[in-house]
Amino acid sequence: MSGHDLDEVPWQAWKAMELPEGFHAEIIEGSIEVSPTGRCTHGLVINRLRDKLVVHLAQSDAAARQDMNIIHGRKVGIPDLFLVPEDTEEHITDDGLGIKASAVHLVVEVASPGRDCPQRDRVRKVRAYARAGIPVYVIIDDYDSHGHGTVLTSPSPGEGAYADSTRRPYGTDVIISEGPAKGFVIGESVTGPSRSGS
């Protein structure tokens, strides 16, 4: 089987899936991964972040979006939050299943508890978003040494890696350094206070 055929099998299966409410499916590194939607605290962090980003983006042509598929070839991600041009419609895939990854300025994942979540958000999705050429990947992670915010930039699609990384503990600001969200601060008002020693 060629590489294209191997991508086509999970793609066709993903398109045919009917999941119960509260679950979503992504294609990450050739495998379909099903996960529950986030807990209440997860939703609160994302909504605080989105509210602040909307204000920050008020004078730009970018918009914060949620609950949509980001599609790169036959790979599908559903980030917790992402930034795209405000006129999103022209960036919808021909089949209408999602937004083209090439239009995405930034993705955000808020890590969830669970055995596989750290590996998914900190490793597999780093590779997937870098391969898609998404310029900025933000990870807000309660489970990374009592909580850290990480901003990854300078993707290398061929290597599936980001060249630059800024990682700060909760209670310390981490600043987005490029794109429409340049200068945006992820701090206590989004993540909550430092949890070191707790």
Side-chain angles (χ1 to χ4, degrees), residues 39 41 111-114 118 122 141-148 170:
R39 296 177 178 190
T41 54
S112 299
R122 294 184 215 149
D141 194 342
D142 282 359
Y143 310 96
D144 178 3
S145 302
H146 305 295
H148 278 78
Y170 286 3

Side-chain angles (χ1 to χ4, degrees), residues 84-171:
V84 288
E86 195 165 356
D87 186 10
T88 308
E89 289 75 20
E90 69 183 69
H91 301 289
I92 295 173
T93 58
D94 292 341
D95 55 16
L97 292 174
I99 303 295
K100 297 171 188 170
S102 59
V104 177
H105 301 296
L106 172 149
V107 290
V108 178
E109 296 287 1
V110 175
S112 299
R115 181 183 81 250
D116 194 47
C117 288
Q119 183 74 5
R120 182 176 60 237
D121 292 333
R122 294 184 215 149
V123 179
R124 292 193 303 273
K125 283 193 174 182
V126 168
R127 290 191 297 245
Y129 291 143
R131 285 182 182 128
I134 294 173
V136 181
Y137 176 24
V138 176
I139 306 169
I140 299 173
D141 194 342
D142 282 359
Y143 310 96
D144 178 3
S145 302
H146 305 295
H148 278 78
T150 303
V151 175
L152 302 168
T153 56
S154 303
S156 175
E159 295 175 23
Y162 285 89
D164 298 314
S165 174
T166 303
R167 180 175 169 267
R168 300 278 186 269
Y170 286 3

